[in-house]
Amino acid sequence: MRDHPRSVMLFAAGFGTRMGALTKTRPKPLIDVSGKPLIDHALEIVRAYGPETIVANLHYLPDQIAAHLAGSDVVFSREAPDILETGGGLRAALPLLGPQPVFTMNTDAIWRGPNPLALLAEHWQPSQMDALLLCIPRSQALGHTGKGDFILDDAGRVTRGAGLIYSGVQIIKTDALEEIPERQFSLNLLWDRMLADNRLFAVPYPGRWCDVGQLESIALAERLLDGADV
């Protein structure tokens, strides 16, 4: 089983400011795409993979998400009074997530293609890797305006640079989180350590992906779900 992750961390704490008025009164994970909240689209993928534990971190309008998922298999890591960012949020959730490694997954993307968690698990090699990122070729990405995040070599290792887009889904070992002194910090700090050790890897996603990070992306995501050639 290659020490496959048994837990998934869903990042659901952010403010979603790029969504404008839509997130003034509701958190971004509850924005509807094709009649279903974004977090439910993510959970559909997660449950299809079948982890033992699903944790969502909460900060902005947390009670709305908690009420939406009440009675489900999701447990919550509440961040208060301050939001902890991805690295701090993951570290705070470790008592709920259990032994590492874990999956982490953003809740603001729509996918068409193979299950992203299953694809990562298939390629996970913990003896060589401290993290395995799922990345998107720019030609297969919708709603994303950046130049890309990582360049992949023939062995699957990555360096930073314009190339593949990080999808927001990864497998990551978490033990080094305790060595970072900051309380609020991005997972980029942990990735930098892995890059220095040549232990940060990625796999390209063969399907399509839409980053639902701004209002204009909702229509793109709905067309992707409808099977349109976008």
Side-chain angles (χ1 to χ4, degrees), residues 87-88 115 124 155-156 180 207 212:
N115 187 296
W124 176 237
I180 296 175
V212 192

Side-chain angles (χ1 to χ4, degrees), residues 57-127:
N57 68 333
L58 306 180
H59 175 75
Y60 179 61
L61 301 175
D63 293 341
Q64 291 188 34
I65 300 175
H68 177 71
L69 296 176
S72 75
D73 53 348
V74 181
V75 295
F76 304 120
S77 175
R78 290 179 178 258
E79 299 177 11
D82 301 314
I83 195 168
L84 298 177
E85 303 185 42
T86 51
L90 178 58
R91 184 170 62 191
L94 289 180
L96 301 171
L97 289 163
Q100 57 88 31
V102 301
F103 289 101
T104 76
M105 184 177 193
N106 293 349
T107 54
D108 58 355
I110 294 296
W111 302 78
R112 191 171 81 195
N115 187 296
L117 304 188
L119 184 66
L120 281 177
E122 179 184 341
H123 289 85
W124 176 237
Q125 297 281 354
S127 62

Side-chain angles (χ1 to χ4, degrees), residues 5-11 42-43 45-47 49-57 73-75 90 93 96-99 101-107 115 117 168-171:
R6 297 184 293 274
S7 301
V8 177
M9 173 76 174
L10 294 175
F11 289 120
L43 282 168
I45 291 170
V46 169
R47 289 171 178 145
Y49 178 76
E52 294 178 7
T53 304
I54 306 170
V55 178
N57 68 333
D73 53 348
V74 181
V75 295
L90 178 58
L96 301 171
L97 289 163
V102 301
F103 289 101
T104 76
M105 184 177 193
N106 293 349
T107 54
N115 187 296
L117 304 188
V169 180
Q170 66 175 331
I171 296 173

Side-chain angles (χ1 to χ4, degrees), residues 3-196:
D3 194 22
H4 283 181
R6 297 184 293 274
S7 301
V8 177
M9 173 76 174
L10 294 175
F11 289 120
F15 298 100
T17 52
R18 288 188 298 157
M19 282 290 183
L22 277 184
T23 50
K24 292 292 186 183
T25 57
R26 61 176 159 171
K28 186 178 179 182
L30 295 186
I31 289 175
D32 278 355
V33 173
S34 293
K36 184 162 61 176
L38 277 166
I39 198 167
D40 288 0
H41 288 283
L43 282 168
E44 187 174 275
I45 291 170
V46 169
R47 289 171 178 145
Y49 178 76
E52 294 178 7
T53 304
I54 306 170
V55 178
N57 68 333
L58 306 180
H59 175 75
Y60 179 61
L61 301 175
D63 293 341
Q64 291 188 34
I65 300 175
H68 177 71
L69 296 176
S72 75
D73 53 348
V74 181
V75 295
F76 304 120
S77 175
R78 290 179 178 258
E79 299 177 11
D82 301 314
I83 195 168
L84 298 177
E85 303 185 42
T86 51
L90 178 58
R91 184 170 62 191
L94 289 180
L96 301 171
L97 289 163
Q100 57 88 31
V102 301
F103 289 101
T104 76
M105 184 177 193
N106 293 349
T107 54
D108 58 355
I110 294 296
W111 302 78
R112 191 171 81 195
N115 187 296
L117 304 188
L119 184 66
L120 281 177
E122 179 184 341
H123 289 85
W124 176 237
Q125 297 281 354
S127 62
Q128 303 175 31
M129 305 170 177
D130 286 340
L132 178 62
L133 316 179
L134 188 57
C135 291
I136 313 292
R138 292 185 66 192
S139 62
Q140 293 158 220
L142 300 170
H144 190 86
T145 57
K147 296 181 179 179
D149 305 297
F150 296 103
I151 298 169
L152 189 65
D153 71 12
D154 291 340
R157 290 184 177 87
V158 296
T159 54
R160 293 191 186 272
L164 297 172
I165 298 163
Y166 175 54
S167 71
V169 180
Q170 66 175 331
I171 296 173
I172 190 166
K173 295 179 181 178
T174 60
D175 39 339
L177 285 170
E178 299 302 330
E179 301 170 10
I180 296 175
E182 292 87 352
R183 182 170 178 267
Q184 301 163 277
F185 62 95
S186 166
L187 279 173
N188 277 293
L189 290 184
L190 193 54
W191 289 347
D192 285 342
R193 295 182 177 211
M194 296 172 181
L195 281 164

